[in-house]
Amino acid sequence: MSSGTGTDRGLSVPFLVDPEHEDLAEHIEKRRFFWLDLQGPTDEQLHRLALKFGLHPLTVEDAKTFSQRPKIEEYGSYIFLIAYGVDPGTSSGGPLLRELHMIISGHFVVTIHRRPLKALEELRARYDEHPLRGEQFLVYKILDAMTSTFFPVLTRIDFDIDEIEEQIVAEPSEEILKRIFSIKRDLVAMRRVVSPERDVFARDAERIGEIRGLQGDSRLYFRDLYDSLNRVSELVDSYRDLLSGAADLYLSTVANRQGEVNKQLTIIATIFLPLTFLTGFFGQNFTFLTNHLLDTTWSFIVFGLGLLLISILGFLFYFRRKRWM
């Protein structure tokens, strides 16, 4: 269990991380705005939370059900919200997404997640030392912290795509193709949550500012969230296009290299074709050949070696004229 408060001037908000039952009851009795953060709560903990805060059964069901689409649902005195971020430390192709459930009211903010969220830890550490502008500002900063996690991952993907394109031109390999598909899975995962979350904030973000008892602030904050999500969505789409282009470049480069190999093998086979014919023809044991044509040294040099050399030089000259070599 850990807790902290904003200090000095501005709003002082207690931060409760997986508190004990008695600590939570004490803060509820004070009727002072606080932030409660729960990581992987049990069904029993959520049930107790529902009794203390008067939560609707559907809220409890949603709070413990993960892998949902982003949404905002209003339940009279509070709002239930599902938002997403990513873990920048996750390697490409790994479990990248981080789902956050929020219960927002005029007296508290509850955040629920299954895995540690470094972005929220850093946010709490920052405002242990600096005051908050207001209650609604805290809600904005939590959502902004989650949204901001996308940008380091997208920056890394940008560098990866540039590196992949250079490697494809230098030396394409199956490892590069695996890397392309791995990054593509990351982009698909992000696009699956970013686009609906952007639409949710475009349509319903103002409902957060209308919660009874929640200290108001400029609604431009939530417009900023929409702009950030819109930028993330555009970057994801552009990087998907670049990655598709890299995959096409890989396939065309491999096909061109295979074509070069096939051309060289064809040239070799073509050169040996007349050689095979000539050696086969003069290798026949007919009396006329052995007694009349191939019975002297000069005939051996002219017919036996000369024709072979002439055929090779002739094909080489023809290939160069056609620019096949």
Side-chain angles (χ1 to χ4, degrees):
M1 179 194 77
S2 64
S3 65
T5 60
T7 58
D8 303 327
R9 294 173 297 175
L11 179 66
S12 177
V13 178
F15 305 147
L16 307 177
V17 181
D18 294 326
E20 299 294 337
H21 178 73
E22 295 76 11
D23 296 332
L24 180 58
E26 179 184 349
H27 280 84
I28 293 175
E29 290 173 3
K30 290 180 179 179
R31 299 187 65 80
R32 179 185 175 192
F33 189 83
F34 63 91
W35 173 14
L36 170 63
D37 185 62
L38 300 175
Q39 179 181 323
T42 63
D43 291 349
E44 182 182 351
Q45 288 176 313
L46 290 175
H47 180 70
R48 287 206 306 261
L49 193 71
L51 294 177
K52 289 183 179 297
F53 292 154
L55 303 180
H56 193 280
L58 289 178
T59 302
V60 179
E61 188 65 28
D62 279 338
K64 64 183 181 182
T65 304
F66 282 76
S67 299
Q68 298 189 61
R69 286 175 61 86
K71 64 179 180 179
I72 293 178
E73 292 184 347
E74 190 171 357
Y75 291 91
S77 61
Y78 67 89
I79 277 179
F80 178 78
L81 182 150
I82 296 178
Y84 276 86
V86 294
D87 181 6
T90 302
S91 59
S92 181
L96 185 68
L97 295 179
R98 296 293 180 266
E99 185 174 353
L100 179 70
H101 296 178
M102 294 182 66
I103 302 172
I104 308 167
S105 83
H107 304 293
F108 57 82
V109 172
V110 179
T111 52
I112 303 171
H113 48 94
R114 280 184 172 173
R115 302 188 182 198
L117 295 177
K118 188 176 180 181
L120 298 189
E121 295 172 4
E122 293 175 349
L123 180 65
R124 286 194 296 270
R126 188 182 315 142
Y127 286 104
D128 264 341
E129 302 174 359
H130 300 86
L132 287 162
R133 289 190 51 178
E135 296 169 354
Q136 193 177 120
F137 182 72
L138 173 62
V139 176
Y140 159 74
K141 291 303 294 183
I142 293 173
L143 293 171
D144 181 61
M146 294 296 293
T147 303
S148 298
T149 58
F150 286 101
F151 292 105
V153 175
L154 291 171
T155 300
R156 183 186 70 193
I157 289 176
D158 187 19
F159 289 139
D160 287 346
I161 292 175
D162 290 340
E163 185 179 349
I164 285 172
E165 290 174 340
E166 292 176 359
Q167 290 176 348
I168 289 174
V169 174
E171 186 64 38
S173 65
E174 290 186 4
E175 290 300 322
I176 296 177
L177 193 59
K178 292 178 181 178
R179 194 174 174 190
I180 289 175
F181 289 139
S182 178
I183 297 175
K184 197 168 187 178
R185 282 195 295 270
D186 290 343
L187 291 173
V188 169
M190 287 189 284
R191 191 177 189 278
R192 181 171 56 85
V193 297
V194 169
S195 295
E197 186 171 343
R198 176 196 58 187
D199 297 339
V200 165
F201 276 94
R203 184 177 61 249
D204 299 324
E206 292 186 355
R207 293 163 62 181
I208 298 175
E210 298 170 355
I211 298 176
R212 291 194 302 272
L214 186 67
Q215 181 181 331
D217 207 330
S218 173
R219 294 183 183 179
L220 293 176
Y221 288 131
F222 297 106
R223 293 180 189 175
D224 179 67
L225 284 175
Y226 169 76
D227 291 339
S228 296
L229 288 167
N230 196 43
R231 184 184 169 200
V232 171
S233 180
E234 290 174 352
L235 287 173
V236 167
D237 289 339
S238 63
Y239 290 155
R240 284 185 67 198
D241 292 339
L242 287 174
L243 209 58
S244 297
D248 293 339
L249 176 62
Y250 171 85
L251 295 175
S252 62
T253 302
V254 171
N256 288 338
R257 296 201 172 199
Q258 289 178 341
E260 286 294 324
V261 172
N262 291 335
K263 184 176 73 174
Q264 294 171 8
L265 293 176
T266 302
I267 290 173
I268 293 173
T270 304
I271 290 175
F272 275 91
L273 180 63
L275 301 182
T276 304
F277 169 76
L278 290 173
T279 54
F281 177 78
F282 287 102
Q284 299 178 90
N285 295 321
F286 291 109
T287 305
F288 180 78
L289 285 176
T290 56
N291 292 337
H292 296 81
L293 292 181
L294 301 178
D295 58 348
T296 61
T297 303
W298 70 265
S299 62
F300 167 73
I301 294 175
V302 172
F303 294 109
L305 301 180
L307 289 178
L308 298 181
L309 182 61
I310 290 172
S311 64
I312 293 175
L313 294 176
F315 273 116
L316 290 176
F317 177 75
Y318 179 76
F319 291 151
R320 288 187 180 278
R321 286 288 302 271
K322 290 291 185 178
R323 295 184 179 179
W324 292 349
M325 292 183 61

